[in-house]
Structures are given as structure tokens and as C-alpha cells.
Amino acid sequence: MGPSLGEGDGCELPATAVCWLTDDPQPGLVLVEFADAYDRPHQLVGKTAYFTGDLLSTSDYPCPTSIQCTIEDVTDDIATVSTWWLEGGPNDTRFVFDVWLDTLRPTADI
């Protein structure tokens, strides 16, 4: 069993990079998909720097990646995570998802 993750920890949520969208703005935008703890599908668009792996316009899609996020809360086996890099709405509200805690990995120290 890996290191224990808890509230406030940075982590990586496994996902699939579906396709390259555009080179502008740099470093480029990709479409990423994942399912939450309730099997609801989600799609995120973001700069490649917010995801793991070498995501390039020439990469073979779909391919595995992960999403950088922060654990907001843990209840039983479900973690509520938010994206610190992707905000929207009138109050710059972060996007929040419930995912299985055991799917998350600690953020890699690079």
C-alpha cells in the first residue's frame, strides 16, 4: 500500500488524454477524460503542463495521463478533489469531483 493521502494533499488522478486540440496557447491544449466515483464521465481541457506524461501534438491518442488536483475532503473511501489550475464561473469556483481515494497517487516530485 502506498503513502496515505489526506485533506490538503496534492495528488494525481489517472485519466486518458483523448486528443490534441491546439498549439495555441503554448504549451498546447489537450482533451482529457475520466470517470468519477459514481461512473459519471467528465472531460477537461487544459494545457499539457497540467497533466502528466509527454503529451505532444504528435503523440498517439488516446493515451494515459493524470490530472493534477488537491484533496479537499475524504469520507470513507471517497475523496473530493479540486483542480487548482482550472477555475470558472462568476466567483472563479474550482471544479470539484468525487473519486475513489485508492485511485489517487501522490504528486510526483520532479
Side-chain angles (χ1 to χ4, degrees):
M1 185 167 185
S4 178
L5 289 169
E7 186 176 326
D9 287 342
C11 59
E12 296 178 6
L13 171 64
T16 301
V18 177
C19 65
W20 183 267
L21 297 174
T22 180
D23 292 326
D24 189 34
Q26 291 294 322
L29 297 177
V30 291
L31 173 66
V32 171
E33 294 181 340
F34 70 96
D36 66 16
Y38 313 106
D39 287 329
R40 293 181 297 213
H42 296 276
Q43 293 184 324
L44 299 177
V45 173
K47 292 182 181 182
T48 58
Y50 300 137
F51 306 104
T52 60
D54 292 326
L55 301 176
L56 307 168
S57 61
T58 56
S59 298
D60 288 332
Y61 293 94
C63 62
T65 188
S66 63
I67 302 163
Q68 296 178 17
C69 51
T70 302
I71 297 175
E72 299 292 331
D73 186 46
V74 176
T75 304
D76 297 321
D77 294 331
I78 304 236
T80 301
V81 298
S82 67
T83 54
W84 54 266
W85 52 269
L86 180 63
E87 299 176 341
N91 299 315
D92 286 329
T93 304
R94 291 187 280 187
F95 288 90
V96 177
F97 310 96
D98 287 340
V99 297
W100 294 108
L101 181 61
D102 65 1
T103 63
L104 301 173
R105 298 185 306 255
T107 300
D109 294 324
I110 297 175

